[in-house]
Each structure stands twice: as structure tokens, then as C-alpha cells.
Amino acid sequence: MAVDNGSTQNISVRRYFLIRTLVKRYPVRANAKFLLQREKIQLMVLLCIPPPLEILMILFLWALSLSRSSTETTAYCNGIIQWPRWKKHTTLFLVSAYSFLANSSLLGASVYVNHLAHVFSKTPNETSRLVTYPNLLFGFGSLIFVPMYHRLGRRPVMLMSIIVYAVGLLGCALASSYEGLLAFRIVHAFGSSVCEALPAQVVNDVFFLHERGKALGWYTFAIATGALGALPAGYVLSGGRSYKVFFWIEFSVAVALFLGAFFLFEETMFFRQKDGTESLSTETNESGSKVENVQLEFKESNEDRAIDLLTPRRRSWAQQLKVIDKDRIDHESPVIMMVVRSFTYYLVPPVFWVCSTYGMVIGLAGLVFTSTFPVIVASPPYNWPIENTGLVSLAALVGYFAAAGPFSTIPDRFSAYLTRRNNGIREAEFRLWCLVPVFFVSPASLILYGYAAERLMHWTALMAAIGMFQFGAFFYLTYTLAYALDSYESNIPEMLIAMNVGKQAISFGFGFEAVQWILNLGYIRVVAGIFCGVLVINNLAVLGFLGFGKPMRTWFSQTWLASFHKNSIRE
């Protein structure tokens, strides 16, 4: 059956446009740009050869371009936001794993409070400082590491941080005195403090706006499950081994994390530039059977050369392994002023809300629960063996999974729905509506825990209270942070410094002397009364942000604070 020549030409032209779209969507190297820069020759080829040979020619050029080292690409390909999904998720996994590991080593030692009091002839109140003091330094390290990664890049600071963290763990494993153990505990907590800021920064670097809520959920999941470190810590003692084995285990995992980060964690700091544009115009006759003119309009040669200078080069794997990339060092980053300006963010309500929320959750779940639960269940009428006291982390894990499993994507989807209803305009407050149904869950769990502990209820009441607390904490940890990042995404590093210092200071206030305070006043007055009341006030702040969040942001943009930060915006 004969095929009309005009139809064949139309098929070839349509295939030409399809190939051109693919090349623009998945840019390859200079030899593939032949398809765009030699339009007349290519059109002639497409009109002359059969479609199967045409497809083979395109596949050959594509394979050839991928087999050679590159010196030319486009910003669209090398832009961090356009990384393939596996690479984004690998990067997110590494920073989240670091957060999990740092929190597990920080909180896992809480089960040794009574044991170390016996070993070092100290009181439990004194040995609890092995957890509270490192927790405080866990946040203050951001004053150093966040300006460093903003200047030198994310990759070198993460690798350096893991090294300091591993050295601190090695020191804990070798320490033979209470003072030495406390000193190295502070070292590894301080060294790993960047993991409190880096995940949020990486999420902002590599994920689109509508993906960040779910991505931040994995980060908060790592924080919440860090308490699982209490499980291996407890079973180390049950096996008749020294508590030092726990630190040896953490040290070995830290070395594995360093190797994974060295080979898989690429630099995510990227200075985006505007790229040149191209236009394609076609002219056809009325019947559409012939193409009169296919023309690609490019910039003038001088403009092309200017664009090429702004176009980033494709980085080979060997280049990605560089610890410090000189091309991505921000020499204009004001390190000292970044620290100074960060403290002004405490005047911004969404940022302070993140500090108070994280501080209360870490202070209660990370310090109060892990410090008091082993004391409660190891005493009559429960009489649990010490190796089972770490089961408190399982209750937290179940509660967190109950929230993260079915509900992790609902706030993002609901926010997208409200965006469509709002004529495509997205507001930072849209995600906050999902906090309204759960703002009483965590306070109710504190009431249950306080009464169950003081009146010696069944141990399942204690476990249920901890699970309920983590269920509510998932939503508030994830979406208060997402709200702050959405509201003020132009200068995230300075905001993260304020957040990490603030939340660790607040959590230190909740956890410091908590055991002695509870013993003096009782669980009902302290946990079910004071802690619950403060948490209710914090959670109900969501109603204020829903009603006045946008006007508040508008008002702050006209104050001296906005002028103070205007010249510091870099991203």
C-alpha cells in the first residue's frame, strides 16, 4: 500500500519535534546538540531516511553522548532540583540516617542512668547529666556548623561533622571515668549537631515545594525513632557486657555512615542562574502536507557565549567525590553576621513556634519519658529487668508509625486542594489546617502518663501514653517546621541556627533536673499539670496562625527586621 509523501514528511517533522522536546527535557552533551543547532541538515535527514533508521540514528547519538565525559550541558539538567528521584531520596536518606544515629546515641544512654550511678558512685540525678548536658550542646553546635555549610557547602561540613561525631563516640567507648565520659559525650553531641539543621536545608535544596512536607516527615521520623537507641543499650547490659559496647556499636555505624556519605552525598548548594531561551516557529500550508519553513531562533552569538559562561558543567563522579568544590564556595557569605542576625529570628512568631514545639517534644519524649520510664517499671509493682526498660522506644515507634503511615501525605494533598480553590495561589498556612484535629492528642497523653505513673496503673497505660504523644508529635514536628520554611524560605540557614539553639535550650529546660523535680512534686502535678498546660498553650497557637498568619507576615515585611535581613538574602 502506497504511503503519501506528504504524510511521511509530517510524521518525520512530528518526530523531529518530539526528539527536540526530549533533548530539552533530558539534556545531553555537545554531540546531541547537533539535533538543535543543525536544524536544516537534520530536517533533510529526517525527510529522507525511513522511520526505523531514523530512530536507530537518534538512539546511537544518545548512547554516544552518554558514553563520553562531558564539558557541556544545561542548567536544567545540573540544577539540584532536577536530580532523579533515586538521588534525591538517597541524599534524604543519608541526612535522615545521620539524624537518627545522632539522636539514638544521645538518648540511648538514658537507660544507663541508674547503672552508671552505681558504677561511678554518683546519684541518678548526676548521671542524668550525661544526657541533658550533651542535649544542650546538640543545638548550640549549629552556631558554628550552619555558617560553615553555608560558606563551604553541605558536603564538606557533613563529612567533617561525622568525623568529630565518630571521634566522640570512640572516646566514650574508651573512657574509664565519669568526667571523661561526660566530656566525650559532649564532643559527639556537639559534632553531630549539624544533623539538626542539614536535613531541613537539604529538603529545601533538592525538593519541590509540594514535596517538602512529605520529605520533612522522614526527617522528623528519624528524630522520633532516635529513642530506639535505648533498645540495644538495654540489651547490651542484659547480655552481661559493659555499657561501652553500645558506644562501640554506634561508632561502627558512624564509620559506615561516613563511607556512605563520602561516596553518595553530593554537594547540594547550587547557585541558580537564569538560562537562555529558544523559540521555535513553524509555517505550514493550508493542507498541512508540506513544511515550508522550520526555523529555530537563537540568541545572538555574544549572548550565547554569555549564557554558556553561566551554564554549569556536568560533574563527573570523580568531581562529585571532592570534599570541597572551589566552584561552590560562597566567598561572600558573612559568617559572623549570620550568627548575629540569627538571634533576631526569635522575634518572628513562626520561628519561635518551631523552637517551642521541638523543644517541648524533645524535652518530654527524649528526656522526661526516657529518664522516668526505666525508673518506674524497674520498681515495684512492675519489677522489670533492666534490659526491658528500653521498650519505651517501641511505644514511641508504634505511635509515630500510626501517624506517619496513613497520614503522611494528607497535609500536602489538602494544601494542594486549597491551592486550587485559591486560584493557584499557595499560602504557607494551608498545611496548618491538618494540625487542628490533633492538637489535644499529645496533651491528653501527658495526663494519662502522669496518672498512670503516680497511681501505679497497668504498664500498658504508660506505653499507650507514650505512643499517643508521638502520634500527635508527628504532625506538629513536621508541619510547624514546613510552615516556617514556607513562610521565610529566602534565608533558611540563619533561621535554622535560631531554631536549633532555641529548641535545644527549651528541651534542656524541660529535662534538666526533671527526675528530681518529679520526685519532689509528683507525676500528676508536674507531667499531667505543668507540662500538659504548657503544651496545650503551644498547640493552640495554630489557631492564631490560621487566623492571623498571613497578615502577620505582611506586617513583619514592613518592619525594621525585614530591612535588617534584606541585604543578607542569598538564596
Side-chain angles (χ1 to χ4, degrees):
M1 178 177 176
V3 180
D4 180 65
N5 185 50
S7 300
T8 303
Q9 291 178 352
N10 277 340
I11 293 174
S12 295
V13 172
R14 286 196 298 270
R15 187 174 290 111
Y16 166 74
F17 291 135
L18 174 62
I19 294 166
R20 182 181 180 277
T21 302
L22 289 174
V23 172
K24 289 183 66 179
R25 176 63 181 86
Y26 302 103
V28 291
R29 301 177 174 93
N31 49 6
K33 293 186 77 174
F34 158 80
L35 300 177
L36 297 178
Q37 296 174 347
R38 300 290 185 268
E39 67 279 2
K40 292 182 179 179
I41 297 176
Q42 198 232 350
L43 181 58
M44 291 174 60
V45 172
L46 289 173
L47 293 176
C48 294
I49 66 173
L53 293 181
E54 175 187 326
I55 296 174
L56 289 177
M57 182 191 70
I58 298 303
L59 292 177
F60 172 75
L61 287 174
W62 185 269
L64 182 63
S65 68
L66 293 178
S67 64
R68 294 183 177 180
S69 62
S70 147
T71 59
E72 190 173 352
T73 186
T74 66
Y76 190 84
C77 179
N78 266 349
I80 307 301
I81 201 73
Q82 298 296 339
W83 276 357
R85 296 189 66 84
W86 71 266
K87 194 169 187 177
K88 290 185 177 184
H89 292 159
T90 300
T91 304
L92 177 62
F93 170 78
L94 288 172
V95 293
S96 298
Y98 190 18
S99 181
F100 167 79
L101 187 62
N103 279 276
S104 67
S105 61
L106 179 67
L107 302 176
S110 61
V111 301
Y112 296 142
V113 169
N114 292 332
H115 175 73
L116 292 178
H118 176 72
V119 171
F120 295 121
S121 300
K122 302 285 185 178
T123 64
N125 190 48
E126 289 177 310
T127 53
S128 66
R129 295 170 187 171
L130 291 169
V131 179
T132 54
Y133 285 174
N135 178 70
L136 181 63
L137 270 295
F138 194 52
F140 278 79
S142 297
L143 292 172
I144 295 178
F145 286 111
V146 172
M148 285 179 61
Y149 81 57
H150 192 57
R151 186 181 183 89
L152 301 178
R154 296 19 164 177
R155 174 178 168 83
V157 173
M158 181 170 179
L159 295 177
M160 184 191 312
S161 169
I162 297 176
I163 292 174
V164 177
Y165 170 66
V167 169
L169 291 174
L170 181 62
C172 291
L174 299 175
S176 57
S177 64
Y178 170 77
E179 291 76 14
L181 180 60
L182 178 60
F184 282 110
R185 286 276 293 167
I186 290 175
V187 169
H188 84 68
F190 180 82
S192 60
S193 59
V194 72
C195 76
E196 289 291 278
L198 197 57
Q201 182 68 65
V202 168
V203 166
N204 185 75
D205 288 342
V206 306
F207 287 95
F208 290 102
L209 179 64
H210 66 279
E211 299 174 327
R212 291 175 188 170
K214 185 177 180 180
L216 286 173
W218 287 107
Y219 161 53
T220 56
F221 172 78
I223 294 177
T225 55
L228 284 175
L231 278 179
Y235 282 104
V236 162
L237 291 183
S238 67
R241 297 179 177 85
S242 170
Y243 70 91
K244 296 181 179 181
V245 175
F246 170 73
F247 293 108
W248 280 113
I249 295 173
E250 293 279 354
F251 172 74
S252 62
V253 180
V255 173
L257 178 65
F258 176 82
L259 295 176
F262 182 81
F263 288 107
L264 297 175
F265 185 80
E266 186 181 349
E267 179 58 63
T268 64
M269 186 167 70
F270 182 71
F271 304 105
R272 296 179 177 86
Q273 301 285 355
K274 293 184 178 179
D275 198 3
T277 58
E278 319 175 322
S279 61
L280 174 67
S281 62
T282 62
E283 297 179 4
T284 60
N285 59 15
E286 294 180 359
S287 63
S289 61
K290 291 185 179 181
V291 176
E292 300 291 342
N293 182 34
V294 177
Q295 181 180 4
L296 293 172
E297 298 180 359
F298 294 92
K299 296 286 186 179
E300 295 181 357
S301 58
N302 290 337
E303 295 178 356
D304 285 340
R305 284 195 292 268
I307 291 172
D308 288 339
L309 293 176
L310 296 177
T311 300
R313 306 298 186 186
R314 180 182 293 275
R315 294 161 53 84
S316 65
W317 191 56
Q319 291 175 324
Q320 295 173 19
L321 294 182
K322 287 183 178 179
V323 176
I324 298 181
D325 189 345
K326 295 181 180 179
D327 295 333
R328 295 193 180 183
I329 295 178
D330 188 356
H331 296 281
E332 299 179 1
S333 178
V335 175
I336 302 300
M337 285 304 299
M338 182 180 293
V339 176
V340 174
R341 284 193 299 263
S342 66
F343 289 99
T344 62
Y345 273 98
Y346 293 125
L347 301 176
V348 180
V351 177
F352 185 80
W353 191 34
V354 172
C355 295
S356 62
T357 300
Y358 272 76
M360 291 178 190
V361 171
I362 295 172
L364 293 172
L367 300 177
V368 175
F369 288 161
T370 56
S371 297
T372 59
F373 185 84
V375 176
I376 295 171
V377 297
S379 305
Y382 308 104
N383 296 319
W384 283 19
I386 190 172
E387 63 268 19
N388 291 339
T389 58
L391 292 175
V392 60
S393 57
L394 285 182
L397 184 64
V398 170
Y400 200 88
F401 264 121
F407 306 112
S408 61
T409 61
I410 288 180
D412 283 341
R413 292 181 179 181
F414 186 69
S415 178
Y417 167 75
L418 293 179
T419 301
R420 291 192 297 269
R421 295 271 313 263
N422 196 38
N423 296 322
I425 301 174
R426 190 184 189 95
E427 301 291 351
E429 288 76 18
F430 285 168
R431 285 195 181 103
L432 295 183
W433 284 104
C434 293
L435 300 183
V436 175
V438 297
F439 59 49
F440 279 131
V441 174
S442 292
S445 71
L446 293 180
I447 296 175
L448 176 60
Y449 188 86
Y451 276 89
E454 186 160 323
R455 299 188 177 180
L456 302 178
M457 297 180 181
H458 196 271
W459 60 268
T460 54
L462 297 172
M463 301 286 277
I466 295 172
M468 286 175 57
F469 184 86
Q470 289 293 356
F471 181 91
F474 164 77
F475 295 96
Y476 271 84
L477 289 179
T478 303
Y479 296 106
T480 56
L481 179 59
Y483 174 58
L485 295 180
D486 290 347
S487 300
Y488 304 100
E489 63 176 348
S490 298
N491 210 342
I492 288 179
E494 294 180 9
M495 185 167 59
L496 290 176
I497 294 175
M499 288 178 180
N500 289 317
V501 173
K503 71 184 182 183
Q504 297 305 132
I506 292 174
S507 67
F508 177 80
F510 270 85
F512 185 69
E513 302 287 344
V515 175
Q516 191 64 39
W517 195 20
I518 291 173
L519 291 177
N520 292 337
L521 299 179
Y523 285 95
I524 293 179
R525 292 182 63 184
V526 176
V527 178
I530 300 173
F531 289 170
C532 177
V534 174
L535 190 60
V536 166
I537 295 174
N538 178 80
N539 287 3
L540 286 177
V542 66
L543 301 179
F545 286 108
L546 284 172
F548 306 101
K550 184 177 180 179
M552 189 185 307
R553 287 187 283 118
T554 303
W555 182 80
F556 266 96
S557 67
Q558 302 170 356
T559 62
W560 66 269
L561 193 60
S563 302
F564 183 61
H565 285 271
K566 182 178 180 180
N567 295 328
S568 67
I569 295 177
R570 312 265 316 152
E571 299 182 358

